[in-house]
Amino acid sequence: MVNEWRAATVEPGGDQPAPATWEPVEVPGRPADFAGSDAVAYRSTFEDPRDGDEHAMVVFEGVYAHARVWLNDTFLGEHDTYFEPLRLRLDGALAPENELVVECRRPDDRFGGSYETDDVPDERAVPGIWWNADIATYTDSHILDLSARPRVDDDGARFEVRTTILAETDLEDRVTFSVKPEGSRRGRGMMDRTSVTAAAGERTTVEYTIDVRDPALWWPHDLGEQNRYVLRAKLGDDERTLTTGLCSIRYDDNDGIRVNDTPITARGVGLLAAEPADIEQAVGLNANLVRAHAHVPSPAVYEAADEAGVLVWQDLPLTGPGPFDIERGRTLVDRIVSAYDHHPGLAAISVHDDPISLSDGALGSGLLDRLRLRWRRFRADYDHEPAETVAEAVPDEIVALPVVGPPGIEPDATALYPGWKYGDAADVDQLLDRHPALEAIVGEYGAGSIGVPDPENMAGFDQEIHDTHVSGGIEPSQAYQRSVIKTITERLRLRASDVIVAASLRDLSDAGMGVLTRNGKPKQAHDALTDAFEPVQAVLAEPSPGAESDVVVLNDTPSEVVGHLSWDIDGDTDETAVSVGADSRKTVASLSIPTDAEFVTLSLTGRSATNTYRL
């Protein structure tokens, strides 16, 4: 409906931007020519879109990060929450031919999150309109938005529905709500009506509860079907729909995480700048959770997670040391919940990510480095109260995690980096034996590696830490990352951690913490993490030459596993029958590993799960 867009770098603030030249750009998008800019203005023209008695509004989604909008030199309004749609009425300023100007600038507070760090390259954080840009027309009564918070508890299943209605004239009518199973799934549909009144020019919110009989629940992909419902709100000729699902997610220290009252081990990967395609890649890793690390993804990412059966751990866009505005934080929690709580997989919201660092450069595994790390943990100081105050705004139905950080500050979820920032990967057991509270929820762990043979752009990658552990090119770099990720993942699963999240799915530059390169090519750690994340897997308790090692079968499924375990030690093979109960782990054999052994391969029949150790 709008013509082509043009853009220019501008100084933020002041009057409507009027740069001398404008460059053609794609909107929505992130024009790389403006990477590193503090503020970018966008300009387009359009004809009056109204027909007859229609009204018009501009609708932008993903306006990063703060924005001001003008139409025909008239200031329309501003916006400061990029994951919420920006909707502005146009009627009073419309002409037959119209000029629209939007100024987008970086945030001037702490809540830019990962986009305001070195972890995300500048071309991925260009101020702009990232997700959608449109001019919408509507009649006198318009349904602006629709949300439905799923509830499953002892009182039954229901959707707590909210819809906001804009009345251009006095309104006294009834809203019709309906809900039915998505697609061809069988089930009973429901319909009900409730009254709505509003004065001309007023926005009003209607809340209503729809009970669901015989509900079909939404499950993570490794536990069941992704049953969903289509909910519709209708007012006159205007209507809006959304797709949602029914799921309950609970967590406590004793029972761990339970989805629809079924115990689950959450196996996840972190996303620094999430795209919908990342969800499919996460499923390919046997992950059932993604962590939106210090940023808020687009609705398309959440929709992909719903379809694939993937839980979402959502961070506030807040990372790194320093104070922050508590009330702004609480407001952002409210807005995240309002925007995304209809997604059945929204499992957790965390507030402050990486508030301190225990190391400046890597610490080794020698005695002096161990003492240095212990001293830094002892000296670590962090005031939890601001993050805990913000976390109070998280509804009870969503797990609240105020702080994600390193050992030493008693985090609610642990950033755990033995083998990378300190010590060796095998030190993870010693560290967690000293601090067992850290093992329940591990929000990030792993190691980085080079993604291409001759890296140039290495945004966010700590070359000094990398060179402490490995020298040479891409092969040794990726082999080291593979070893660290395999070791820590298996140790955490053996320790029955409730939630384990590998640091990153995908690099955003030529090197990084991802198990995929920036172009989506698997690194060596990709297959290692896929095997370690198998819901049913056999692991060695002591994977080293000369060891007498138990073989433990891990079963994260809600069903008993019965089959055979076979092993191959440098060509010497044997097998045994196994039977492991639901959601449990069991020692099924003991192997003597020769001191000169080169590899051990474990295989489980019936699950097609194989685990190879390169000794």
Side-chain angles (χ1 to χ4, degrees):
M1 194 171 291
V2 295
N3 297 317
E4 71 171 18
W5 287 86
R6 294 179 177 271
T9 300
V10 297
E11 290 295 326
D15 297 330
Q16 175 179 327
T21 59
W22 298 85
E23 302 295 331
V25 293
E26 293 291 329
V27 173
R30 310 179 197 204
D33 288 346
F34 298 100
S37 300
D38 290 329
V40 180
Y42 297 81
R43 176 187 177 274
S44 188
T45 60
F46 63 95
E47 297 179 355
D48 188 341
R50 297 172 297 180
D51 184 14
D53 294 332
E54 287 184 330
H55 308 274
M57 69 170 54
V58 63
V59 182
F60 295 144
E61 295 180 70
V63 183
Y64 184 82
H66 296 177
R68 298 187 297 160
V69 183
W70 291 263
L71 179 67
N72 301 330
D73 300 324
T74 298
F75 179 66
L76 293 184
E78 56 188 331
H79 191 62
D80 65 358
T81 310
Y82 68 88
F83 54 84
E84 275 190 331
L86 168 59
R87 300 185 180 96
L88 296 170
R89 298 163 67 190
L90 301 179
D91 287 7
L94 277 172
E97 297 290 335
N98 300 276
E99 179 190 65
L100 186 66
V101 175
V102 186
E103 176 201 83
C104 302
R105 64 172 174 82
R106 293 184 178 277
D108 56 8
D109 56 22
R110 289 292 316 284
F111 294 97
S114 63
Y115 291 120
E116 298 303 311
T117 69
D118 292 338
D119 292 334
V120 177
D122 286 343
E123 61 266 24
R124 299 297 302 272
V126 178
I129 306 165
W130 290 355
W131 302 336
N132 186 49
D134 195 15
I135 306 294
T137 58
Y138 58 97
T139 58
D140 285 343
S141 301
H142 181 48
I143 300 174
L144 288 174
D145 57 42
L146 175 65
S147 185
R149 183 176 294 179
R151 291 288 180 269
V152 182
D153 52 31
D154 293 340
D155 296 328
R158 60 200 177 278
F159 294 113
E160 295 177 356
V161 182
R162 302 182 309 276
T163 184
T164 302
I165 296 168
L166 171 61
E168 294 287 354
T169 59
D170 290 344
L171 174 65
E172 186 173 350
D173 207 336
R174 297 177 72 83
V175 182
T176 300
F177 293 112
S178 63
V179 60
K180 65 177 183 179
E182 179 192 34
S184 60
R185 291 189 174 96
R186 295 182 178 180
R188 182 182 303 175
M190 288 142 278
M191 181 181 294
D192 212 339
R193 306 178 74 193
T194 187
S195 61
V196 56
T197 59
E202 183 178 80
R203 298 187 185 201
T204 186
T205 298
V206 177
E207 298 183 354
Y208 196 76
T209 298
I210 300 177
D211 293 317
V212 181
R213 303 183 186 90
D214 302 321
L217 301 180
W218 181 95
W219 295 89
H221 65 85
D222 51 347
L223 291 183
E225 296 293 322
Q226 290 72 59
N227 300 298
R228 296 197 292 169
Y229 290 84
V230 177
L231 191 145
R232 176 176 283 101
K234 194 171 190 301
L235 178 63
D237 294 329
D238 196 37
E239 68 175 44
R240 186 174 291 270
T241 64
L242 65 77
T243 303
T244 181
L246 289 163
C247 180
S248 70
I249 301 170
R250 301 286 185 271
Y251 181 80
D252 65 47
D253 294 339
N254 295 321
D255 293 337
I257 188 168
R258 301 180 75 88
V259 176
N260 298 328
D261 207 30
T262 298
I264 177 176
T265 297
R267 308 177 305 276
V269 287
L271 307 177
L272 271 174
E275 301 290 347
D278 293 335
I279 301 300
E280 182 179 355
Q281 295 280 12
V283 172
L285 282 167
N286 291 313
N288 54 21
L289 177 144
V290 293
R291 177 186 170 198
H293 193 148
H295 76 291
V296 184
S298 71
V301 173
Y302 269 86
E303 179 65 22
D306 287 352
E307 291 180 355
V310 174
L311 301 169
V312 178
W313 168 349
Q314 177 63 63
D315 283 10
L316 249 63
L318 173 65
T319 187
F324 56 88
D325 186 326
I326 293 175
E327 288 309 311
R328 172 71 169 156
R330 289 176 63 89
T331 297
L332 289 178
V333 168
D334 289 341
R335 292 182 176 183
I336 287 173
V337 171
S338 178
Y340 293 115
D341 68 347
H342 65 281
H343 293 283
L346 177 56
I349 293 177
S350 50
V351 176
H352 197 176
D353 170 66
D354 289 338
I356 69 164
S357 175
L358 288 183
S359 59
D360 181 13
L363 292 174
S365 58
L367 176 60
L368 288 179
D369 279 338
R370 290 176 187 270
L371 291 174
R372 289 188 185 102
L373 178 62
R374 190 176 303 176
W375 176 247
R376 291 177 186 181
R377 289 203 307 266
F378 175 75
R379 291 291 302 273
D381 184 31
Y382 175 73
D383 180 7
H384 288 247
E385 185 175 355
E388 291 174 349
T389 301
V390 172
E392 290 172 358
V394 178
D396 292 341
E397 296 78 15
I398 301 172
V399 178
L401 300 169
V403 181
V404 184
I409 63 168
E410 299 182 357
D412 303 280
T414 313
L416 197 63
Y417 283 105
W420 183 244
K421 293 184 177 180
Y422 42 82
D424 296 325
D427 294 337
V428 63
D429 282 322
Q430 183 183 52
L431 178 63
L432 296 179
D433 285 343
R434 288 178 177 271
H435 308 279
L438 299 175
E439 70 184 27
I441 301 179
V442 178
E444 53 185 283
Y445 68 92
S449 69
I450 297 169
V452 298
D454 297 305
E456 295 179 1
N457 179 359
M458 301 174 71
F461 184 70
D462 197 318
Q463 184 72 47
E464 181 182 350
I465 289 181
H466 175 268
D467 292 346
T468 299
H469 296 292
V470 61
S471 61
I474 187 172
E475 290 299 321
S477 173
Q478 292 194 12
Y480 183 76
Q481 181 193 34
R482 176 192 184 278
S483 174
V484 171
I485 286 180
K486 177 179 177 63
T487 297
I488 296 179
T489 305
E490 291 188 354
R491 305 319 294 179
L492 292 176
R493 291 195 68 187
L494 282 169
R495 299 180 74 94
S497 294
D498 299 318
V499 182
I500 53 177
V501 182
S504 185
L505 172 70
R506 176 171 48 88
D507 290 348
L508 300 182
S509 64
D510 291 344
M513 306 294 287
V515 298
L516 298 171
T517 69
R518 67 186 305 175
N519 296 321
K521 180 180 178 181
K523 299 180 181 179
Q524 293 185 35
H526 179 275
D527 289 348
L529 187 59
T530 302
D531 290 343
F533 269 180
E534 282 281 0
V536 179
Q537 183 60 285
V539 301
L540 290 176
E542 297 291 338
S544 54
E548 187 76 20
S549 177
D550 288 340
V551 181
V552 182
V553 174
L554 313 168
N555 179 15
D556 286 351
T557 73
S559 303
E560 181 186 21
V561 170
V562 178
H564 285 80
L565 167 75
S566 62
W567 55 88
D568 181 340
I569 305 176
D570 289 352
D572 185 10
T573 63
D574 205 344
E575 68 173 32
T576 186
V578 297
S579 174
V580 184
D583 188 46
S584 63
R585 47 209 25 80
K586 182 179 180 181
T587 299
V588 297
S590 181
L591 304 184
S592 296
I593 304 175
T595 56
D596 60 349
E598 295 183 2
F599 72 88
V600 177
T601 297
L602 308 175
S603 301
L604 284 168
T605 62
R607 299 292 305 189
S608 300
T610 301
N611 194 3
T612 298
Y613 294 85
R614 304 171 184 174
L615 305 178

